[in-house]
Amino acid sequence: MAAAARLRRRLLLAVPWCWRCSPRRGGAAGPSAGQVRAAFLRFFEERHGHRRLPSAPVRPRGDPRLLFVNAGMNQFKPIFLGTVHPRSELAQHRRVVNSQKCVRAGGKHNDLDDVGRDTYHHTFFEMLGNWSFGDYFKEEACSMAWELLTEVYEIPRDRLYVTYFGGDASLGLSADEECRDVWLRLGVPASHVLPFPLKDNFWEMGDTGPCGPCTEIHYDHVGGGRNAAALVNQGNPDVVEIWNLVFMQYSREVEGNLLPLPQHHVDTGMGLERLVTVLQNKRSNYDTDLFTPILDAIHKGCRAPRYQGLVGDADVGRVNMAYRVVADHVRTLCVCITDGIYPGFTGAELVLRRILRRAVRFCSEVLQAPPGLLASLVPTVVEVLGDAYPELTRNANQDIINDNEAAFLSSLERGRRIIERTVQQMEPSTNFPAEVAWSLYGSLGFPLDLIDLMLEEKGISLDSAAFNELALEDAKRKAGGLQAGQPGNTNTHLDVHSLAWLQRSNVPATDDSPKYAYRLGQHGQYEFSPCQATILMLYRDQSLHKEVGAGQRCGVILDRTNFYAEQGGQDSDQGYMIRLGQQDVLFPVESVRLCGGYVIHEVTAVEALRAGDQVQLFVDEGHVTVEQLQQVEQVVQDLIQKNEVVHMAEVPLTQARRVQGLRAVDEGYPDPVRIVSLGVPVENVLTCDSEAAMQTSVELCCGTHLLQTGSVEDLAIISERQLVKGISRVIAVTGGQAKEAREVGQCLATEVDSVSLRMKQRITSIPEMQNLSKEVGQLTKVVANAAMPQWQRKELQTILKALQRTANTAVKKLELQQAEKAAQILLAKYSNQPIIIDTVPADSLSILMKVVNQLCDKSPGTSVLLLSPQASGEVLCACQVSKNCVPTFSAADWAVAVCTQMEGKAGGSPIVAKGSGNARGMQGALTTALEFAQSKL
């Protein structure tokens, strides 16, 4: 009979595959990850009546505290917190199942630094989950979980252990014996049912809010009839948690006490990666088919040995770690970019930028892969995950990865050389100088964890305490400088003895007249001329030096400068200097001071600096302006029109080094090297003392170049962003793509003009103005993402920003006018009565609240509650209580009483509150409103 029942259940599920989880390693490969995922979803949907929902995007909706969606329950928080709108689709859910895309990197849950070091940490993972919102509870949840694991997935029962909450005397909570007894009734041996304390088996959403005991299911990878109960929750890799079932039955209040929830919920989560590892009889997540196709693709695209699954000291050269990092990170990049999170400079975008740069670095330096490997893995990721998340097949963008990789590779190479040179000059058994690390962090955009990792590979540690001190100094400087009474920066304030020595030695004062050598350009932008100077002396630790070693922070005294020194209430300039003939090393200038006629530039010596060194100074300017972008395009257009010949020739490397203006030549180039010269024959730029190369573009390149510039046809810059201070990177398209970009730009400009004209018309309808505001918002998004000329994008964005402000102001003004009109009518109707309760037409809760505010402002002793029925069947509620009536009379309590009568919800403060409900209960709500008010007055 039992066998027949089992067969019926299997047939009902219509599972078209079958496997057995072998108790020994090396058995059958097991089901694919796609089959495992599908079985989970179909089990709960078809067998147990759950509604299958798609994964939410990994960008959180309506929760600014989260960088990424990091658990399956995130999208259901409004249900747990009781804030879900009663008429929303979310409020209708009772049983739900899904597979949720999750990212844990940055913020409270951060696995980024651990990824690659072991075989189970990930930044992106899939969370299989089933939920009950006020429907089933412990008995059903445990029974379903046990049935799925042991009967559908056929995991041997003797390998499974379950935990339950063992109670907490300090909170007055007894052990969850109800849960324990459920497991025992399901046939789990008592020796496999284990109690654990609060930290292991009591789940809380936050400091306050829904919480409750949980039960976890653990799997013993070893098996063989042993009892592994002592290894559960001990961090042993052989015994791992695979499923967590949370029973939300309490609410933690602000005071810390627990109150029972009116409705009980179930929230379960099971990591797909771990489950597939179990069912495919593996010991590493990276050995499953969720990762092996990506690892194979990495091997094909790099010059490293095949992945072997090694960790720790056995992983010589960290090759296997690199494989895991790249495989994990490219999954995260694909999912995040698909869901609209792009590498950037703040929040989730900044974390994604760190993830991308970490992956690029492992590709380039450890796996010895050519540029573009990371983006080339996108189709493989889509192949692995695309069936489950079809949005990946539509939106995965390789260009974004390639663009960001190219931007970082140049900085990475420069940073690597700086680290190499610094390490060579360091004394044995010393920490890496914090000043050099700070320069890498600040000027080249190196994430701190990447610096740590690169140093760790060399067996060197960063002087973290000194680095944190520099970060604190920088934060203080940005926050407004040092407080009164604190000593100033000792590297830019010459002490009296050093100043006297300079004067006695006839060291000339700094000529700072070049600071005024700026002009207003043709298109209104300020133009600063670079300035060449000689280092006269270096100043560090209140003494003068003729040389400062790499990594040291110091003051640089120059014979001339174009930097403005802090004085007269004006902040100093910032920028950077480079040593002549060494353009690839930047010395960021962080502050500038004037002391006794000498201008001292505070820099971090990323390499040794000496008196007599010649440097070139560059003052930071803003981001590239619209006019500058147009100028760059015009320069290229002129060259295209001239149809210049592109000259190419191979020459000895020693000869190439003599070409004036050529970017730094290092050992990375072959000998002979190929020179490409635009419009000037190569033999001319090689002529001794020739300045021909200074008048055109001359590069070392082995690329297949056009033979004449006219072949470019057209060029449009479609993207621009600042890489480091003073250096911006542009992306351009040519030929037909450039023409298309201009057509898109023109089209969007026409649409913006149309909206501008309509905005100037006299609009008196709030919905009409709100629609126009939405149209501006939609246009803003389109303009931000379209492939169009960047100068035009900036122009349109400026116009749209102004239009959005105008629309928002107009909406507020119209709402105020409507509110004033309604308030006047009600004041005339109720003149000076202590309570006003009525219904009024209002297009939104915002307007209704304004009507209430107007009434109370004009009649301070009156308490007001207004209802506004909507065409949708919803009723809006807003109220305000006279301050004279508080605390006896609370607006929040008033609104709750009224909205509860309408089967709705409300909230607020003792003075003002708002809410909503159903029109069916409106008449009863008006009666309740009056009775409640009368009982309080």
Side-chain angles (χ1 to χ4, degrees), residues 375-397:
S376 75
L377 302 175
V378 170
T380 307
V381 175
V382 172
E383 185 179 337
V384 172
L385 298 175
D387 287 344
Y389 310 108
E391 60 272 18
L392 282 168
T393 63
R394 299 188 297 269
N395 302 329
N397 194 322

Side-chain angles (χ1 to χ4, degrees), residues 789-808:
Q790 181 70 5
W791 65 265
Q792 194 171 27
R793 188 195 320 277
K794 286 192 169 189
E795 278 191 347
L796 295 183
Q797 284 173 330
T798 302
I799 296 168
L800 287 166
K801 192 174 181 180
L803 288 175
Q804 193 71 70
R805 282 197 302 266
T806 302
N808 293 344

Side-chain angles (χ1 to χ4, degrees), residues 822-831 836 838 840 851 855 866:
Q824 289 294 343
I825 294 170
L826 289 169
L827 280 172
K829 181 178 178 181
Y830 290 98
S831 70
I836 296 177
D838 210 334
V840 295
V851 177
L855 285 169
L866 299 178

Side-chain angles (χ1 to χ4, degrees), residues 132-405:
S132 165
F133 307 119
D135 190 348
Y136 60 81
F137 205 43
K138 296 178 185 178
E139 180 87 37
E140 297 90 337
C142 295
S143 177
M144 293 176 197
W146 194 248
E147 180 185 1
L148 176 65
L149 293 179
T150 62
E151 296 187 26
V152 177
Y153 289 143
E154 295 189 339
I155 297 176
R157 295 169 184 241
D158 64 346
R159 290 200 181 195
L160 295 175
Y161 296 78
V162 296
T163 66
Y164 67 95
F165 177 51
D168 189 285
S170 65
L171 291 173
L173 293 175
S174 58
D176 190 359
E177 294 178 354
E178 178 189 0
C179 178
R180 178 199 65 189
D181 293 344
V182 169
W183 287 119
L184 293 174
R185 284 197 299 274
L186 287 169
V188 183
S191 60
H192 285 220
V193 182
L194 313 170
F196 280 89
L198 192 82
K199 69 180 183 69
D200 295 306
N201 278 78
F202 196 90
W203 185 90
E204 303 196 51
M205 186 180 292
D207 294 333
T208 60
C211 56
C214 63
T215 181
E216 297 175 341
I217 303 173
H218 296 250
Y219 175 78
D220 177 16
H221 277 286
V222 176
R226 71 169 184 167
N227 189 320
L231 301 178
V232 173
N233 276 339
Q234 299 304 310
N236 189 300
D238 291 334
V239 181
V240 295
E241 173 205 335
I242 57 172
W243 205 345
N244 187 12
L245 285 66
V246 178
F247 307 122
M248 294 191 194
Q249 61 188 92
Y250 301 108
S251 174
R252 187 176 289 283
E253 303 301 297
V254 176
E255 297 79 12
N257 58 310
L258 296 174
L259 296 178
L261 283 173
Q263 270 197 328
H264 290 173
H265 307 300
V266 173
D267 163 21
T268 88
M270 177 160 57
L272 176 68
E273 290 77 10
R274 280 194 183 181
L275 178 62
V276 173
T277 299
V278 168
L279 298 178
Q280 292 185 358
N281 204 30
K282 306 294 184 182
R283 294 298 295 274
S284 162
N285 296 355
Y286 291 91
D287 290 339
T288 68
D289 64 342
L290 285 167
F291 289 93
T292 51
I294 304 172
L295 295 170
D296 289 343
I298 294 171
H299 179 249
K300 289 176 184 174
C302 74
R303 291 186 286 273
R306 186 174 290 278
Y307 177 70
Q308 296 175 285
L310 302 175
V311 295
D313 294 339
D315 183 18
V316 179
R318 299 199 176 194
V319 171
N320 290 267
M321 177 180 178
Y323 268 102
R324 290 188 289 268
V325 167
V326 175
D328 171 88
H329 289 8
V330 74
R331 286 171 22 119
T332 305
L333 287 164
C334 286
V335 168
C336 288
I337 290 170
T338 293
D339 286 349
I341 302 175
Y342 305 124
F345 296 94
T346 57
E349 285 77 11
L350 177 59
V351 176
L352 196 65
R353 180 172 178 252
R354 285 180 59 201
I355 289 171
L356 184 140
R357 291 186 161 204
R358 193 168 185 255
V360 168
R361 190 255 161 171
F362 274 102
C363 279
S364 171
E365 296 204 341
V366 182
L367 297 176
Q368 300 293 304
L373 171 65
L374 199 59
S376 75
L377 302 175
V378 170
T380 307
V381 175
V382 172
E383 185 179 337
V384 172
L385 298 175
D387 287 344
Y389 310 108
E391 60 272 18
L392 282 168
T393 63
R394 299 188 297 269
N395 302 329
N397 194 322
Q398 293 172 265
D399 291 341
I400 291 173
I401 296 176
N402 271 330
D403 292 346
N404 279 272
E405 178 186 46

Side-chain angles (χ1 to χ4, degrees), residues 507-633:
V507 175
T510 306
D511 173 15
D512 64 351
S513 59
K515 70 186 180 187
Y516 299 118
Y518 60 88
R519 64 189 183 88
L520 199 59
Q522 181 182 352
H523 299 285
Q525 80 283 6
Y526 283 95
E527 296 176 349
F528 297 82
S529 301
C531 171
Q532 188 170 318
T534 302
I535 297 178
L536 299 176
M537 197 62 68
L538 300 153
Y539 186 70
R540 175 176 168 79
D541 297 332
Q542 293 189 303
S543 62
L544 293 164
H545 302 265
K546 292 207 169 187
E547 182 175 342
V548 167
Q552 294 184 316
R553 205 169 194 173
C554 64
V556 180
I557 304 172
L558 301 170
D559 64 337
R560 62 199 307 266
T561 184
N562 59 349
F563 278 75
Y564 181 88
E566 181 183 340
Q567 56 187 315
Q570 181 176 331
D571 282 342
S572 66
D573 286 332
Q574 289 186 323
Y576 62 95
M577 60 177 72
I578 60 172
R579 194 157 31 202
L580 290 187
Q582 198 177 18
Q583 285 88 345
D584 64 330
V585 179
L586 276 65
F587 297 85
V589 177
E590 297 175 24
S591 65
V592 186
R593 300 266 181 171
L594 179 65
C595 192
Y598 299 100
V599 177
I600 303 100
H601 307 70
E602 186 183 20
V603 306
T604 297
V606 293
E607 290 196 351
L609 284 172
R610 300 174 183 82
D613 282 352
Q614 290 193 307
V615 294
Q616 198 161 16
L617 308 176
F618 298 87
V619 176
D620 278 350
E621 303 175 28
H623 289 351
V624 181
T625 65
V626 168
E627 292 78 12
Q628 288 171 324
L629 287 166
Q630 290 173 323
Q631 286 172 2
V632 173
E633 280 194 5

